[in-house]
Amino acid sequence: KIALKQGVDMIELDVNKSLDGKIFIFHHGMERACFGLDERTKNMTFDEVRALRYLNTDRNPTSHCPATLDEVFEEFKNKGCAKSVTGL
């Protein structure tokens, strides 16, 4: 949403697959920084990934979890923004 407000014309997404094969948006290797977690999201089920909450700068959990690819595409639908998907 912030990218759209800033007028970007392209976004790049890092995608990952859960243990049970569902796609979500997350930059692999950032589990400790983003969630305070030593476990890799690729070794978790989709429900476990969706139960994660990003940490704020004070290291407190927020209400935000990793988005699905469908959620991101829906957010950017008809916005005139190209998408680049990397990962898997």
Side-chain angles (χ1 to χ4, degrees):
K1 290 180 182 181
I2 293 171
L4 287 174
K5 288 180 183 178
Q6 293 178 349
V8 302
D9 55 7
M10 181 179 171
I11 60 168
E12 182 261 339
L13 306 170
D14 290 309
V15 296
N16 278 283
K17 190 186 303 186
S18 64
L19 197 57
D20 47 353
K22 296 190 180 172
I23 305 295
F24 60 96
I25 307 300
F26 187 71
H27 185 85
H28 71 304
M30 297 298 294
E31 289 85 357
R32 177 176 282 288
C34 292
F35 308 119
L37 192 67
D38 288 326
E39 186 176 358
R40 297 288 187 187
T41 54
K42 69 179 182 179
N43 297 327
M44 302 172 80
T45 67
F46 182 71
D47 288 341
E48 291 171 328
V49 170
R50 290 294 277 198
L52 295 173
R53 295 296 174 258
Y54 284 101
L55 302 177
N56 65 18
T57 56
D58 294 326
R59 308 297 292 160
N60 294 313
T62 68
S63 61
H64 305 286
C65 64
T68 66
L69 189 59
D70 288 339
E71 288 170 341
V72 173
F73 279 175
E74 184 63 30
E75 184 69 36
F76 283 86
K77 188 165 110 183
N78 301 320
K79 303 285 200 264
C81 181
K83 297 130 191 112
S84 172
V85 179
T86 61
L88 299 178

